[in-house]
């Protein structure tokens, strides 16, 4: 067992090398594996089970709001991609192109979808004729490709999995509401299911999606203070509709252009989970998306009655929770480390003495606190303990986010924070792209995250140029 | 309403033009739409909801047998595809190739996966070291691309959605068992969930999968007597393991090659549903995968209490079934046609007189029989009626399959059947590929479907060459 126990020790400490720690966790928790294909990863069963839990949860939230799933082709003919000017400029540089099909050079090359606005628009044109056909509330779960130079599992890969919602509305107001509503869905999902607090708000002109009028974003902060763009929701106005000639007959019998939104989150969220909650013992999973919520570890399992009792507990708890009983012949200590590494939120230990006392031990993966609980009402105790794990995770992340969010009242203070602290910076801004670019260059990569939904008034002037401030911006380095 | 009612009349009759009937149903039932991308389709909400029901059902069957979902990259480097000789020969001609990524010509071109044996093998090599790592029982749900010249929605498209199971085993026997077990899963799923009976059996050498030692297949017969290859399960021996150098240390401490299987079914099954069960009024969906199982149509809905009662019924039934109440202002007749077209298995009519009698009317989409049932115990009545629809569908398809399966005792009889009947032909076969080719040429496309699991003895000699017969073969034209 010595060899196995070493496995856990092999994780690099977060404080020593956060990037290496991340890579170690991805590998040792068996979330993903590298592949021979540049920039593409293999999502292993344990990692994919997290994605399945995320999909189930989000999909139910989307459907509760009336969204329907569809599937669009994965290829976009070059001429179709080019129909919206800003969009093609944004995406063409990172496209993968199919040029040969079935042994023949193609007359027109096909882009492997980096996002599917153009394909949805082509279809919307076929199925929208009257205001009675609106709204169209579509979503698809699929793979997309954006050619990346440097990649990291989950955080940035050339191929990734995501959902992309695409909706069409009769009025601008309705489309704007949808854009904000879906940002709220993401924020709620991050908080309620991933136990991740986050800033939400609007992207600047510079940072918005190619082709969008407005982009809204959710920006969780990772444990080390670096931002991860966690999801976006875009309002397109009627720009794509005009470019793709999508029209409908309105209630007043005039021909109109519909208003459009799109919104998406991806497997990147698994990276956010790792980097928000993990520690030096490995992964920590929020209970809502943990493939195993409770690991039952029998203690002194060779003793009479222990395995039987453990199996009985598993059968009881499996009715309500995702449970694994590990009755393998590894040592108890190895099992403890193993399920800690894999981030299982709750460990249930049961041994001969516990059975005598009609009790067991629950151990939180976060606080590592041990709690002796009676086997009567064990399901309720487990439920409560899982809720505690969720709350502990959320509060800890919120505390980290608060502690690492700094206010800059002057350019010098901004540069000082950017150089000496790792976290988010709140500062006033004039609204000009030049100031964003100046700050990015001066700090070696600090970029605006968003104009937060609730802006405070830190001063009257832009932290960069001193001109009158229009907004408060949140800034940070990003993955 | 006249305009709307015409919609139903526009379906071409099956007997007049089966291919046009199929296209009409796909379009009018809003299952799929054509896209501007050659050979690729848009799967619309109603069609995709069928696919989601199929996924839920099959995924549970796979997981109950211990399979885990994973996700592999969608690109296969050309050198990786070439590692197994037969495999690359089979698939290279129908690959789509990515040659440009992020504005640069790629050093090695990438095939968009037509199937993922090679990628799974590359990963298996990393994660299999000891017999303790076996079996690996993996599955993935994804899109694949096979460049097709002539395409039809669901039946044959350049891109399609499917699941592909890939497993590795310690012994040949275990892998062979897995291959057969998964064929059984498919047969049970077709029968129990799609209400489709089918022949199952082994493919000949000529028809087996590129790189497989043995291929098993499920071959349902469509309403018009044409076969649809409905799913396959392959035994690979250790061929890929040797080509990819995948080894493990066995129980006896020697280094061994593991034994492999793969198996898959696709969105093509939606084509099978349409062509097995549909009629001149449109689609008919088996209850297990119908997005709407019960359509509630209020009669004289302007009368007091009708809509309230209908909504009450919907709320009650929605606890157990997928229900839609249509209280739109279309005419009752239009609604009847509409949900018939969409293949909803059961219609529930409720009007003022029914309410007075504390009853309602259930109408089967298959038999169109009307049944007056009491509102007391309505959930049980609906359950029973759905079960009846399933059984009616299955039995009707089985009858058609039996009526259209012919025995050929001589070459002349074979050609006569092939020319004058549409259906399957059972005949004895010597085991030689030449005879398959001769028959295919002589009949303009009749191909062997499978050596069925239960062979009858029709004669001692091959129907084609007269040499001693080795097997009974089932033959047919295919989609």
């Amino acid at each position: 067992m010595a060899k196995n126990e070493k496995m856990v020790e092999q994780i690099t400490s977060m404080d020593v090398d956060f990037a290496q720690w991340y890579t170690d966790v991805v590998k040792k928790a068996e979330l993903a594996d590298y592949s021979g294909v540049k920039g593409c990863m293999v999502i292993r069963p344990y990692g994919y089970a997290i994605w399945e839990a995320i999909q189930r949860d989000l999909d139910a939230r989307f459907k509760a709001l009336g969204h329907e799933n569809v599937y669009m082709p994965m290829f976009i003919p070059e001429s179709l991609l080019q129909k919206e000017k800003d969009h093609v400029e944004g995406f063409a540089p990172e496209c993968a192109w199919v040029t040969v099909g079935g042994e023949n050079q193609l007359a027109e090359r096909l882009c492997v979808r980096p996002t599917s606005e153009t394909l949805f628009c082509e279809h919307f044109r076929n199925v929208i004729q009257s205001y009675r056909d609106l709204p169209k509330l579509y979503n698809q779960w699929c793979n997309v490709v954006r050619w990346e130079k440097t990649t990291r599992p989950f955080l940035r890969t050339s191929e990734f999995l995501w959902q992309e919602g695409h909706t069409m509305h009769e009025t601008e107001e309705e489309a704007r509401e949808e854009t904000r509503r879906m940002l709220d869905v993401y924020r709620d999902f991050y908080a309620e299911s991933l136990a991740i607090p986050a800033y939400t708000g609007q992207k600047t002109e510079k940072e918005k999606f190619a082709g969008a009028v407005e982009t809204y974003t959710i920006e969780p902060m990772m444990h080390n203070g670096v931002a991860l763009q966690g999801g976006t929701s875009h309002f397109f106005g009627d720009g794509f509709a005009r470019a793709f000639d999508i029209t409908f007959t309105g209630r007043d019998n005039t021909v109109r252009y519909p208003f459009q939104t799109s919104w998406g989150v991806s497997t990147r969220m698994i990276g956010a989970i790792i980097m928000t909650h993990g520690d030096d013992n490995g992964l920590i999973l929020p209970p809502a998306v943990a493939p195993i919520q409770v690991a039952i570890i029998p203690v002194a399992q060779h003793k009479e009655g222990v395995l039987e009792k453990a199996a009985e507990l598993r059968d009881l708890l499996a009715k309500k929770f995702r449970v694994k009983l590990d009755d393998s012949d590894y040592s108890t200590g190895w099992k403890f480390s193993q399920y800690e590494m894999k981030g299982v939120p709750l460990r249930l230990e049961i041994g001969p003495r516990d059975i005598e006392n009609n009790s067991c031990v629950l151990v939180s993966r976060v606080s590592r606190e041990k709690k002796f609980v009676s086997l009567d009402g064990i399901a309720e105790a487990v439920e409560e303990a899982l809720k505690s794990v969720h709350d502990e995770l959320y509060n800890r992340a919120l505390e980290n986010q608060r502690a690492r969010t700094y206010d800059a009242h002057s350019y010098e203070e901004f540069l000082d924070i950017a150089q000496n602290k790792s976290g988010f910076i709140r500062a006033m801004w004039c609204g000009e792209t030049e100031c964003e670019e100046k700050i990015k260059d001066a700090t070696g990569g600090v970029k605006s995250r968003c104009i937060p939904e609730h802006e405070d008034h830190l001063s009257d002037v832009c932290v960069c140029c001193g001109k009158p401030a229009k907004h408060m911006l949140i800034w940070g380095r990003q993955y």
Side-chain angles (χ1 to χ4, degrees), chain A:
Chain A
M1 292 309 127
K3 184 188 152 213
N4 287 318
E5 301 203 349
K6 222 175 133 194
M7 199 178 81
V8 175
E9 290 164 34
Q10 285 170 359
I11 292 191
T12 307
S13 165
M14 299 171 84
D15 294 335
V16 171
D17 184 343
F18 194 80
Q20 188 58 49
W21 168 84
Y22 179 80
T23 307
D24 286 356
V25 171
V26 167
K27 205 174 159 63
K28 306 277 177 179
E30 302 186 343
L31 299 175
D33 193 14
Y34 294 95
S35 80
V37 191
K38 200 198 147 297
C40 295
M41 66 177 164
V42 171
I43 307 181
R44 299 185 66 183
Y46 196 62
Y48 199 81
I50 299 172
W51 182 238
E52 287 181 305
I54 288 173
Q55 284 187 300
R56 269 196 305 274
D57 188 322
L58 269 177
D59 199 65
R61 291 174 193 257
F62 298 158
K63 283 180 177 155
L65 293 171
H67 300 93
E68 301 179 293
N69 286 334
V70 299
Y71 189 76
M72 294 286 152
M74 68 171 303
F75 296 130
I76 308 174
E78 190 161 19
S79 56
L80 191 68
L81 191 69
Q82 285 170 340
K83 279 207 173 179
E84 212 289 337
K85 196 181 63 65
D86 293 337
H87 189 68
V88 67
E89 273 176 23
F91 282 104
E94 43 187 60
C95 281
W97 293 98
V98 172
T99 60
V100 177
E103 301 188 315
N104 296 313
Q105 197 73 26
L106 300 182
E108 177 178 17
R109 59 184 195 161
L110 303 172
C111 169
V112 183
R113 64 180 160 216
T115 180
S116 306
E117 277 73 13
T118 52
L119 294 160
F120 273 88
C121 280
E122 191 194 32
H123 178 61
F124 283 142
R125 190 173 190 275
N126 291 340
V127 295
I128 295 172
Q129 272 93 42
S130 145
Y131 70 90
R132 288 171 197 272
D133 300 322
L134 296 171
K136 288 284 183 224
L137 305 174
Y138 286 172
N139 176 62
Q140 86 174 347
W141 293 95
C142 65
N143 55 345
V144 286
V145 170
R146 298 179 188 176
W147 213 255
E148 298 281 358
K149 287 194 185 74
T150 50
T151 57
R152 274 211 259 183
F154 298 114
L155 295 180
R156 196 171 286 279
T157 46
S158 289
E159 179 191 11
F160 57 89
L161 304 182
W162 80 343
Q163 62 68 216
E164 46 180 324
H166 295 268
T167 71
M168 278 290 194
H169 304 266
E170 197 181 337
T171 65
E172 174 167 353
E173 191 191 350
E174 214 187 285
R176 284 186 182 278
E177 272 169 21
E178 170 81 1
T179 311
R180 299 300 292 262
R181 185 185 301 123
M182 298 320 292
L183 184 73
D184 290 348
V185 167
Y186 290 153
R187 192 191 46 220
D188 292 349
F189 173 72
Y190 266 85
E192 295 162 7
S193 299
L194 305 186
I196 298 179
Y199 290 103
T200 50
Q202 196 181 336
K203 284 281 184 197
T204 61
E205 274 298 300
K206 180 174 187 295
E207 298 294 334
K208 73 178 191 186
F209 183 83
V213 173
E214 289 170 6
T215 289
Y216 293 85
T217 182
I218 176 163
E219 300 278 337
M221 181 196 285
M222 303 297 96
H223 182 77
N224 61 348
V226 176
L228 189 77
Q229 184 177 297
T232 45
S233 183
H234 315 291
F235 169 65
F236 288 107
D238 59 5
F240 274 80
R242 284 174 189 271
F244 284 80
D245 195 26
I246 306 165
T247 60
F248 69 97
T249 307
R251 288 167 203 272
D252 60 359
N253 227 24
T254 63
V255 174
R256 296 160 171 278
Y257 293 107
F259 293 85
Q260 188 174 1
T261 85
S262 80
W263 27 273
V265 292
S266 75
T267 35
R268 174 171 250 214
M269 287 189 288
I270 297 174
I273 293 170
I274 300 168
M275 292 200 298
T276 303
H277 299 312
D279 65 16
D280 280 351
N281 294 312
L283 189 63
I284 305 186
L285 290 174
V289 299
I292 304 168
Q293 296 175 306
V294 188
I296 301 179
I297 313 291
V299 177
Q301 64 183 43
H302 58 282
K303 293 268 176 73
E304 202 190 319
V306 171
L307 280 182
E308 287 76 0
K309 194 71 191 174
E312 197 184 291
L313 269 175
R314 178 201 49 205
D315 295 343
L316 176 76
L317 293 175
K319 285 175 193 152
K320 253 188 120 167
F321 310 101
R322 295 186 287 274
V323 183
K324 178 165 179 178
L325 162 61
D326 188 343
D327 55 4
S328 68
D329 55 6
Y330 285 105
S331 77
T332 312
W334 182 87
K335 290 179 190 173
F336 287 0
S337 305
Q338 176 68 7
Y339 294 100
E340 285 200 343
M341 163 74 78
K342 291 209 143 194
V344 175
L346 203 61
R347 179 168 88 221
L348 188 158
E349 305 170 11
I350 184 145
R353 202 175 306 169
D354 304 304
I355 296 170
E356 250 172 54
N357 297 331
N358 190 42
S359 72
C360 68
V361 182
L362 294 182
V363 187
S364 156
R365 173 63 181 83
V366 189
S367 66
R368 305 181 95 182
E369 191 197 340
K370 285 188 169 216
K371 227 177 179 171
F372 289 84
V373 302
S374 164
L375 293 185
D376 305 331
I378 182 66
E380 290 72 23
V382 165
E383 178 141 34
E384 203 179 298
L386 287 173
K387 202 187 160 314
S388 289
V389 168
H390 174 92
D391 293 344
E392 285 165 29
L393 286 175
Y394 184 84
N395 292 331
R396 201 169 69 164
L398 186 61
E399 215 169 281
N400 186 56
Q401 180 192 286
R402 284 187 180 148
R404 288 180 183 270
T405 300
Y406 307 94
D407 289 353
H409 302 85
S410 69
Y411 191 57
E412 293 64 37
E413 195 183 5
F414 193 109
L415 295 185
D416 180 58
I417 298 168
Q419 196 171 0
N420 297 306
K421 310 277 189 186
S422 177
F424 287 177
I425 306 174
R426 306 198 316 159
M428 301 311 287
W429 172 60
C430 60
E432 295 301 319
T433 300
E434 278 121 296
C435 286
E436 283 185 81
E437 276 164 1
K438 190 176 160 196
I439 285 181
K440 190 186 158 199
D441 291 345
T443 55
V446 172
K447 287 163 81 172
S448 73
R449 311 306 325 150
C450 62
I451 302 162
E453 299 200 88
H454 305 288
E455 301 178 47
D456 286 328
H457 182 85
L458 300 182
S459 89
D460 293 327
V461 296
C462 176
V463 77
C464 183
C465 67
K467 286 187 197 145
K470 279 206 183 127
H471 288 292
M472 189 180 88
L473 262 187
I474 295 179
W475 301 77
R477 292 179 202 280
Q478 71 176 30
Y479 276 104

